[in-house]
């Protein structure tokens, strides 16, 4: 394996790992707000890492620029979506889960 | 505590949310009666304005509004009446004998009236404009709270406040939209054959014609935009590094068997203004794990934090500095951290007191974080009709408020 290939595998592996973390987070975390944390961030990093791997696979190609654009759009849209969902919940007066509420 | 008092004063002014405010005040008075208060009363008080020699110019409008308020209040009382609790409705015009100018003047007039009739609770319509067009609701509320009155803002439907979507078309906007679209088109096409150049130019022309007045609020200046883009390029690696670092800690938390989280809402008055910078900061905060921008309002950003460590990072203000660096330059980045400025605080969910720093019992919960959930929901539902049809949109009460993040276009980044 060349160093590039190792890097690609590492990036895609890392991406998969954070995607996995996002899924586990959605299942384990207690309420909408905390789950939104998992979906908005771990997801973003996971996809960005995977896209980085994809860009390396293409090498010096126009596709790299497109992949970078994809990543950029994700950076903008992912947190916006999470914000929209949680704000809707906040407007409905859904109280965030706290450690005190547990006891 | 006077918060549950059934002796209520409502300052009256034309606004789109006034109908809901009336409903809320009446309901509050009724629940006061049910809780055992002896004399429930709602006074609708309109500050006089526009005095002339021949009498008060605005009095017709004020009287009209007061009449309408009474009709609405009666309507609500009848509709809700199970055992018809006695709620007295009265109206008045205050301050006709003097010149009302500053928020303090209005507050004094209202407070005097309240003292005269023994009212101890003021329900302020969030759309109330004491001085006509000038945004002075907050100073008015602060002034009122100096007296022994309990001041609260009626929980009404969120008003959509944003600068108009379509702004004036200028040449530089058109050029910027055309350029960005054309570049994007050619990048996606991946070649510069005559066919792509022609179709791209056509597409970009259409986009510029249709959207240049929507994509930008102000005319972009090449120098400022260029500097911002350059600094943005520096910002992105920093952001990616922050995201990676913080993601690892979140991954640790999520995969940890005991799930060591301690969520809390924080209110954060960021030293960043304007739609696009606030959007950038809000999105960056959301992207760095442990913090999630939930709401943007007049009081600042409401941020949901997952762990204590995330809160500390937020209070250290690294992201805020970075965003200030991108938009305002390097010198603007050197400011005290939010923690040092004291502009970050917890949003308490169990108590209705949101500390506004002026002492006393100011209750200004514009974001409605802390209300019993049923009150506002029914305030919205109980009135299927549109609000006051002639409700004037006077000025922009939230001129000091960052605009809605969603209204911004991402175009400027490209």
């Amino acid at each position: 394996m060349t160093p590039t290939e190792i890097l690609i595998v590492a990036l895609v592996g890392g991406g998969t790992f954070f995607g996995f973390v996002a899924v586990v987070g959605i299942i384990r975390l207690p309420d909408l707000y905390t789950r939104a944390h998992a979906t908005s961030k771990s997801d973003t990093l996971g996809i960005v890492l995977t896209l980085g791997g994809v860009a390396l696979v293409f090498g010096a190609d126009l596709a790299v620029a497109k992949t970078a654009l994809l990543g950029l759009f994700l950076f903008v849209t992912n947190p916006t979506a999470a914000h929209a969902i949680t704000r809707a919940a906040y407007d409905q007066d859904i109280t965030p889960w706290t450690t005190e509420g547990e006891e | 505590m006077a918060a549950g008092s059934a002796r209520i004063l409502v300052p009256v002014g034309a606004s789109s949310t006034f109908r809901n405010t009336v409903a809320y005040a009446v309901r509050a008075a009724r629940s006061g009666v049910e809780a055992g208060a002896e004399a429930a009363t709602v006074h609708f008080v309109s500050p006089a304005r526009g005095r002339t020699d021949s009498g008060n110019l605005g009095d017709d409008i004020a009287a009209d509004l007061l009449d309408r308020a009474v009709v609405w209040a009666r309507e609500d009382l009848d509709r809700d009446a199970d055992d018809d609790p006695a709620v007295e409705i009265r109206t008045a015009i205050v301050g006709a004998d003097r010149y009302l100018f500053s928020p303090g003047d209005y507050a004094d007039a209202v407070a005097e009236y309240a003292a005269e009739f023994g009212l101890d609770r003021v329900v302020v319509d969030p759309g109330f404009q004491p001085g006509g067009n000038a945004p002075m609701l907050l100073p008015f509320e602060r002034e009122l709270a100096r007296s022994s009155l309990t001041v609260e803002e009626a929980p009404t439907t969120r008003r959509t406040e944003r600068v108009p979507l379509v702004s004036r078309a200028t040449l530089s906007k058109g050029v910027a939209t055309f350029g960005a679209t054309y570049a994007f088109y050619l990048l996606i096409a991946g070649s510069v054959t005559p066919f792509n150049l022609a179709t791209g130019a056509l597409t970009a022309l259409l986009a510029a014609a249709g959207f240049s007045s929507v994509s930008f609020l102000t005319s972009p200046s090449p120098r400022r935009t260029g500097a911002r883009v350059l600094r943005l390029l520096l910002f992105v690696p920093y952001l990616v590094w922050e995201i990676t670092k913080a993601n690892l800690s979140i991954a640790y938390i999520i995969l940890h068997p005991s799930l060591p989280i301690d969520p809390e809402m924080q209110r954060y008055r960021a030293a960043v203004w304007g739609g696009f910078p606030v959007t950038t900061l809000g999105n960056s905060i959301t992207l760095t794990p442990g913090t999630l921008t939930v709401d943007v309002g007049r009081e600042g950003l409401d941020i949901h934090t997952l762990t204590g460590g995330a809160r500390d990072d937020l209070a250290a203000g690294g992201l805020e500095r970075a965003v200030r660096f991108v938009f305002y330059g390097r010198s603007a980045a050197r400011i005290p951290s939010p923690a040092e400025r004291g502009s970050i605080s917890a949003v308490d969910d169990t108590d209705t007191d949101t500390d506004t720093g002026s002492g006393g019992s100011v209750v200004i919960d514009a974001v409605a974080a802390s209300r019993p959930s049923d009150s506002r929901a029914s305030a919205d539902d109980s009135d299927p009709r549109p609000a006051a049809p002639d409700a004037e949109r006077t000025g922009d009460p939230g001129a000091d408020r960052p605009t809605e993040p969603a209204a911004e276009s991402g175009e400027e980044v490209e």
Side-chain angles (χ1 to χ4, degrees):
Chain A
M1 269 202 342
T2 65
T4 321
E5 279 172 348
I6 294 175
L7 196 58
I8 290 170
V9 169
L11 281 174
V12 174
T16 315
F17 170 74
F18 283 109
F20 174 73
V21 167
V23 172
V24 174
I26 290 178
I27 295 171
R28 290 197 66 197
L29 289 169
D31 77 338
L32 185 143
Y33 299 98
T34 46
R35 285 186 175 135
H37 282 281
T39 52
S40 61
K41 308 159 216 300
S42 307
D43 237 18
T44 313
L45 185 64
I47 294 170
V48 167
L49 287 179
T50 314
L51 282 178
V54 169
L56 279 182
V57 170
F58 281 115
D61 191 37
L62 189 70
V64 176
K66 293 184 186 172
T67 336
L69 272 181
L70 263 180
L72 181 72
F73 290 146
L74 277 168
F75 262 44
V76 177
T77 54
N78 238 350
T80 310
H83 164 74
I85 293 171
T86 48
R87 192 174 80 157
Y90 199 51
D91 273 359
Q92 299 291 314
D93 285 342
I94 296 176
T95 318
W97 181 94
T98 52
T99 40
E100 294 130 48
E102 184 77 331
E103 287 141 20
Chain B
M1 182 167 163
S5 165
R7 303 189 60 79
I8 297 173
L9 188 154
V10 182
V12 173
S15 89
S16 57
T17 48
F18 184 57
R19 178 66 186 94
N20 286 333
T21 306
V22 171
Y24 175 76
V26 169
R27 210 172 30 246
R30 286 187 67 246
S31 63
V33 173
E34 277 150 22
E38 62 283 4
T41 180
V42 180
H43 288 226
F44 294 103
V45 174
S46 175
R49 66 176 64 151
R51 284 189 75 205
T52 62
D53 290 340
S54 57
N56 287 327
L57 197 64
D59 275 5
D60 282 349
I61 306 167
D64 196 40
L65 258 176
L66 289 174
D67 285 347
R68 203 177 311 145
V70 172
V71 170
W72 281 336
R74 296 253 157 80
E75 219 170 73
D76 287 346
L77 280 175
D78 283 344
R79 187 187 322 159
D80 300 349
D82 310 323
D83 49 345
D84 192 39
V87 176
E88 190 193 1
I89 311 284
R90 296 184 66 163
T91 63
I93 294 182
V94 297
D97 54 338
R98 68 188 103 164
Y99 182 56
L100 299 180
F101 179 68
S102 71
D105 295 344
Y106 284 96
D108 286 346
V110 168
E112 272 172 34
Y113 179 87
E116 190 181 328
F117 288 89
L119 308 174
D120 50 13
R121 181 179 180 189
V122 179
V123 172
V124 183
D125 176 29
F128 180 58
Q129 292 293 332
N133 286 337
M136 50 192 225
L137 183 61
L138 265 185
F140 173 71
E141 286 173 347
R142 297 243 162 90
E143 289 289 340
L144 266 183
R146 268 173 215 269
S147 54
S148 57
L149 298 168
T150 309
V151 183
E152 70 185 293
E153 225 171 70
T156 57
T157 328
R158 166 192 292 277
R159 288 157 302 152
T160 313
E161 274 166 17
R162 54 179 64 139
V163 281
L165 193 60
V166 179
S167 56
R168 212 160 55 84
T170 61
L171 184 66
S172 58
K173 284 182 195 174
V175 170
T177 313
F178 180 85
T181 316
Y182 205 0
F184 185 68
Y185 188 95
L186 291 179
L187 183 64
I188 296 299
S191 68
V192 284
T193 57
F195 175 76
N196 281 330
L197 283 175
T199 51
L202 186 65
T203 313
L205 206 62
L206 287 176
F211 298 111
S212 65
S213 55
V214 179
S215 306
F216 297 96
L217 288 174
T218 54
S219 300
S221 90
R223 223 171 45 129
R224 201 190 52 189
T225 308
R228 281 185 176 181
V229 167
L230 280 183
R231 292 195 294 249
L232 197 65
L233 289 181
L234 287 178
F235 173 63
V236 167
Y238 167 75
L239 185 63
V240 169
W241 170 241
E242 284 294 311
I243 290 173
T244 314
K245 212 171 57 178
N247 249 306
L248 287 173
S249 70
I250 284 294
Y252 168 78
I253 286 168
I254 286 179
L255 299 177
H256 195 281
S258 67
L259 205 64
I261 59 170
D262 177 21
E264 191 184 301
M265 273 291 189
Q266 297 254 299
R267 182 160 298 155
Y268 177 23
R269 280 192 296 282
V272 169
W273 299 272
F276 199 59
V278 170
T279 310
T280 310
L281 179 65
N283 269 0
S284 308
I285 286 175
T286 300
L287 276 175
T288 43
T291 48
L292 178 71
T293 311
V294 170
D295 205 347
V296 181
R298 184 173 44 187
E299 304 279 313
L301 280 72
D302 282 6
I303 293 169
H304 188 263
T305 53
L306 196 56
T307 59
R311 278 194 283 286
D312 296 341
D313 284 351
L314 189 64
L319 270 178
E320 185 193 42
R321 282 202 192 101
V323 171
R324 281 174 68 87
F325 167 69
V326 169
F327 287 98
Y328 312 123
R330 198 164 49 178
S331 58
R334 287 191 288 266
I335 62 162
S337 74
E340 286 157 12
R341 297 200 309 269
S343 59
I344 193 158
S345 61
V347 177
D348 203 333
D349 283 298
T350 51
D351 189 20
T352 43
D353 267 327
T354 307
D355 184 18
T356 54
S358 58
S361 55
V362 192
V363 184
I364 303 171
D365 41 0
V367 278
S370 44
R371 207 159 295 107
S373 58
D374 60 335
S375 70
R376 192 167 60 150
S378 50
D380 297 345
D381 297 340
S382 65
D383 182 26
R385 288 160 304 154
D390 60 342
E392 52 185 14
R393 276 188 50 125
T394 46
D396 179 11
D400 56 337
R401 159 194 298 220
T403 47
E404 301 286 336
E408 278 301 308
S409 150
E411 199 71 45
E412 204 174 320
V413 202
E414 296 179 9

